[in-house]
């Protein structure tokens, strides 16, 4: 679970110091639109694996769905990407 308040503070700090900010594992497809404007990248692990479990084989459908969601434009009113 991502604390949005802490993520916003980290995002502001990273922008002020011109350093990249990556969000670690734990991100799901459902959270991408809410989080991607605050970070430069997302590290993904088990969300792309069969049954969403670490150590399982990659699930091509999960990978495609995750990438498609990431590529979507954010809903109106969201901040633009950090890049």
């Amino acid at each position: 679970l991502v604390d949005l308040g802490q993520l916003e503070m980290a995002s502001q700090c990273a922008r002020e110091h011109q350093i990249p900010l990556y969000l670690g594992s734990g991100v799901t497809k459902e959270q991408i639109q809410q989080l991607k404007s605050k970070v430069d990248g997302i590290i993904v692990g088990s969300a792309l694996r069969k049954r969403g479990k670490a150590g399982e084989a990659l699930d091509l459908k999960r990978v495609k769905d995750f990438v498609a969601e990431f590529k979507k434009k954010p809903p109106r009113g969201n901040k633009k990407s950090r890049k």
Side-chain angles (χ1 to χ4, degrees), residues 26-59:
V27 176
T28 65
K29 178 180 76 167
E30 293 76 22
Q31 300 168 315
I32 291 173
Q33 295 305 317
Q34 185 178 24
L35 302 175
K36 76 178 189 178
S37 67
K38 296 173 178 31
V39 297
D40 294 293
I42 297 173
I43 301 166
V44 185
S46 57
L48 304 181
R49 306 238 172 228
K50 291 187 180 188
R51 297 187 302 274
K53 295 191 176 201
E56 294 285 340
L58 285 174
D59 183 320

